[in-house]
């Protein structure tokens, strides 16, 4: 094993070292298929009955500050939606069954052979700064997302060629091709509406101005974001019993987050997968929320010549002990899988075969030699300085070391990590989670297509690009599912990024918290959470 720890980089804690020892004990030689997949436990506990207190404060502790950028168009952190949802309503929403439903767009109609999506907008909606929500506001937001230099929404909106304001309540989106996924994408950041009067605000990244149920009244970057109920919210009935005030505290340390809820210093938090047993033993509620996310090694396939070779990526994939990482580091709560979509999801590949997830260090070492690297090669890897992310990265780096790959492991603050991988594009790989997406088209666009935020090298497999275009144009149903299953299988075959396991979201809450959940994209949804007196 050859793992380089450099400046501003740290070694693992004792518990992490113990987990690594367990993993490496089985890394030395012969091949073996992954054991039966592990998976998440069940939710535990329930909220109190009784009336909600609409004047209460919800104290939620989150694990990241999402790089301190809360502008829907320019945010690049994959966990930012937790901060955006209270402030920004979207053109569409996704219901509990995963169906697209109206939100700020009261209705929609597809015309011109699928090349026009006409939206009829709600009346009487105002932004937090008093500006009216109308077709001109929609046009300004869509154009900004499509064309702004720093926009991270360009892949989501690429199919839109023009936005026509037909009247104050009607806007027509002109498309280059039919797009079955566009309404779902407009139920995510691409459809979040910012007040047109605030688009030029220099502090928009820290002071959201939307049309959602809460407005930001305080922001201490990296420490605290405070929201208060917006009294002129158009859909006040949906949040009538919700807390008046939400305080989102940022705490990177997972043990501190768990203890804060246990001690009554906070009402709810997100807990790490390896904390399931501790959280369920602490009393209160543990909510296991299924989603479409995964732990993975993101790859910049253009920064390092070795990573541009699918055969090298195949060797790296074979060197990863997915089930071992889940069991030893993630508490067995993450289902080992080589693909980005969770098993059972309608876009997930089926019948990949055992070879796709085989862990075999000896065969991986030989495959690397066959690819032209008998002495291995060097690569860089970055990860945030928080367990279990850092521990997973240390395990992966150690397993790569077993086949002769020397990893320069850079453990740093979240903002520095994101900047190095997606901004400066100077790091070869990044260990983290993909939280999921409202539609598989967003996952494909973000991870596999040129211009995707988490494809910093711009590497694009032409077969996936062809299928992605087909998936956008194919109506909902079995035919569209089959297209995305082919994309998922092709991504595994070409080893475009290295998924480790499919992960749920775990939330811990006091019994006084009612209505806490996550979106299908894995973001904690605080918009309608009630606090019950008890």
């Amino acid at each position: 094993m050859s793992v380089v720890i450099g400046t501003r980089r740290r070694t693992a804690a004792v518990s992490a070292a113990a987990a690594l020892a367990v993993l490496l004990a089985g890394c030395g030689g012969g091949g073996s298929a992954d054991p039966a997949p592990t998976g998440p436990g069940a939710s535990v506990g329930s909220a109190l009955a009784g009336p909600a207190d609409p004047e209460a404060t919800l104290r939620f502790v989150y694990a990241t500050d999402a790089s301190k950028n809360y502008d829907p168009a320019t945010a690049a952190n994959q966990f930012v939606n937790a901060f955006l949802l209270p402030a920004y309503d979207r053109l569409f929403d996704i219901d509990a069954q995963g169906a697209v439903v109206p939100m700020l767009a009261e209705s929609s109609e597809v015309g011109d052979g699928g090349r026009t999506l006409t939206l009829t907008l709600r009346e009487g909606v105002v932004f937090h700064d008093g500006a009216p929500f109308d077709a001109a506001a929609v046009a300004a937001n869509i154009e900004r997302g499509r064309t702004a230099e720093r926009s991270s929404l360009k892949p989501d909106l690429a199919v839109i060629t023009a936005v026509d304001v037909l009247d104050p309540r009607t806007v027509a989106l002109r498309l280059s091709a039919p797009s079955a996924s566009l309404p779902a994408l407009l139920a995510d950041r691409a459809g979040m509406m910012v007040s047109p009067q605030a688009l030029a605000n220099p502090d928009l990244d820290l002071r959201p101005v939307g049309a959602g149920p809460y407005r930001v009244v305080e922001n201490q970057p990296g420490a605290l974001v405070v929201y208060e109920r917006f009294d002129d919210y158009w859909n006040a009935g949906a949040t009538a019993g919700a807390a008046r005030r939400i305080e989102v505290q940022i705490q990177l340390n997972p043990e501190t987050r768990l203890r804060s809820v246990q001690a009554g210093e906070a009402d709810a938090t997100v807990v790490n997968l390896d904390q399931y047993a501790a959280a369920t033993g602490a009393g209160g509620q543990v909510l296991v929320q299924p989603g479409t996310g995964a732990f993975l090694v993101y790859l910049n396939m253009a920064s390092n010549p070795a990573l541009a070779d699918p055969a090298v990526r195949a060797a790296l994939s074979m060197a990863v002990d997915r089930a071992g990482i889940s069991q030893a580091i993630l508490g067995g709560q993450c289902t080992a899988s080589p693909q980005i979509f969770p098993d059972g999801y309608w876009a997930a590949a089926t019948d990949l075969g055992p070879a796709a997830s085989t862990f075999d260090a000896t065969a991986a070492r030989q495959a690397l030699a066959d690819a032209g690297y008998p002495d291995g090669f060097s690569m860089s890897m970055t990860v945030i300085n928080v367990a279990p992310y850092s521990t997973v990265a240390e395990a992966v780096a150690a397993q790569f070391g077993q086949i002769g790959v020397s990893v320069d492991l850079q453990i740093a603050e979240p903002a520095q990590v994101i900047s190095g991988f997606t901004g400066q594009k100077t790091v070869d790989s990044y260990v983290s989670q993909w939280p999921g997406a409202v539609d598989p088209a967003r996952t494909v666009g973000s991870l596999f297509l040129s211009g995707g935020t988490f494809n910093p090298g711009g590497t694009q497999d032409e077969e996936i690009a062809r299928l992605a275009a087909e998936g956008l144009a194919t109506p909902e149903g079995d035919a569209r599912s089959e297209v995305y299953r082919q994309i998922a299988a092709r991504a595994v075959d070409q080893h475009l990024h290295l998924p480790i396991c499919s992960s749920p979201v775990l939330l811990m809450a006091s019994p006084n918290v009612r209505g806490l959940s996550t979106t299908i994209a894995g973001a904690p949804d605080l918009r309608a959470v009630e606090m019950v007196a008890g």
Side-chain angles (χ1 to χ4, degrees), residues 234-289:
W234 68 272
N235 195 20
T239 58
R244 172 167 287 279
R245 181 180 172 95
I246 301 173
E247 297 177 355
V248 180
Q249 306 163 28
I250 293 35
Q251 176 52 255
L252 300 183
N253 188 298
E255 298 300 327
T256 301
R257 293 199 306 272
L258 189 151
R259 287 196 301 269
S260 68
V261 176
Q262 190 174 13
E265 298 167 353
D267 302 305
T269 187
V270 59
V271 295
N272 288 346
L273 298 180
D274 59 324
Q275 294 180 297
Y276 175 78
T280 55
Q285 305 178 74
V286 176
L287 309 173
V288 180
Q289 302 286 293

Side-chain angles (χ1 to χ4, degrees), residues 116-127:
T116 297
L117 179 64
T118 302
L119 310 178
T120 301
L121 309 178
R122 293 192 185 277
E123 288 187 285
V125 178
V126 295
F127 291 100

